[in-house]
Amino acid sequence: VSPNPGDLDLLLRKLTYAADNGEEGTDMAETLSDFSKILELQEIKKLYDELQDRHRQDVKDRDEEIARLKSEQLRFEARESGAETDTLRAEVERLSKQAQLIRQEYEAKIERLNARLREHPQSAMSAPALGPEAGKGFFRR
């Protein structure tokens, strides 16, 4: 029925220990001092429990903060890698356009040179034969 069975057990053990040692004839002052020690121990236990509760709460808060920071770091890394990916894609697109423009320029130059060679058949015929395609255009692909 006691609200603090552990404290009651401690009090009963002290009383039985005193009775076993033959200290039945102790005066009231000593009993009060035992009771004050019990109260002091109860106060210490209460403070200890409060301290443990605060410690548990602090640990829980720190764990939540660590989890929040980890998720924030993951989001930041995802954004950073996404921005890096976008930058690389833009660079690839720019380089492919540049390569296409250069290809078009060179194809146009080849076409102009082939046209010039077709216009001057005498110079193509007077030049030494360069194989089976010598008369069909010098810069063929």
Side-chain angles (χ1 to χ4, degrees), residues 14-69:
K14 281 189 173 192
L15 290 175
T16 55
Y17 177 75
D20 288 343
N21 288 334
E23 298 177 12
E24 290 181 37
T26 60
D27 58 347
M28 191 65 135
E30 192 173 314
T31 319
L32 289 176
S33 69
D34 283 346
F35 184 71
S36 66
K37 287 181 183 179
I38 291 171
L39 290 176
E40 183 182 350
L41 288 173
Q42 286 177 340
E43 185 66 26
I44 290 171
K45 184 180 183 300
K46 181 179 140 190
L47 292 173
Y48 178 76
D49 290 341
E50 288 175 2
L51 184 64
Q52 273 192 323
D53 290 341
R54 274 190 276 154
H55 177 70
R56 282 189 201 111
Q57 185 63 35
D58 288 346
V59 169
K60 181 181 173 187
D61 291 345
R62 286 186 187 133
D63 288 343
E64 289 172 356
E65 182 70 13
I66 288 170
R68 185 188 64 78
L69 289 173

Side-chain angles (χ1 to χ4, degrees), residues 57-118:
Q57 185 63 35
D58 288 346
V59 169
K60 181 181 173 187
D61 291 345
R62 286 186 187 133
D63 288 343
E64 289 172 356
E65 182 70 13
I66 288 170
R68 185 188 64 78
L69 289 173
K70 281 183 180 180
S71 66
E72 188 175 305
Q73 180 183 13
L74 289 175
R75 282 192 303 253
F76 178 74
E77 287 174 354
R79 273 188 272 142
E80 191 175 279
S81 67
E84 188 176 312
T85 302
D86 292 342
T87 304
L88 290 175
R89 283 183 183 154
E91 182 71 14
V92 166
E93 186 176 325
R94 184 185 67 78
L95 290 174
S96 66
K97 286 180 182 178
Q98 186 178 8
Q100 186 178 5
L101 287 173
I102 291 172
R103 186 179 307 119
Q104 289 173 352
E105 286 179 20
Y106 283 128
E107 285 176 357
K109 282 184 182 180
I110 289 171
E111 191 60 41
R112 282 187 303 224
L113 288 173
N114 281 334
R116 281 181 63 191
L117 284 174
R118 277 185 239 122

Side-chain angles (χ1 to χ4, degrees), residues 125 128-138 140:
M125 290 299 176
L130 299 174
E133 293 189 18
K136 297 181 182 176
F138 187 72
R140 272 227 175 322

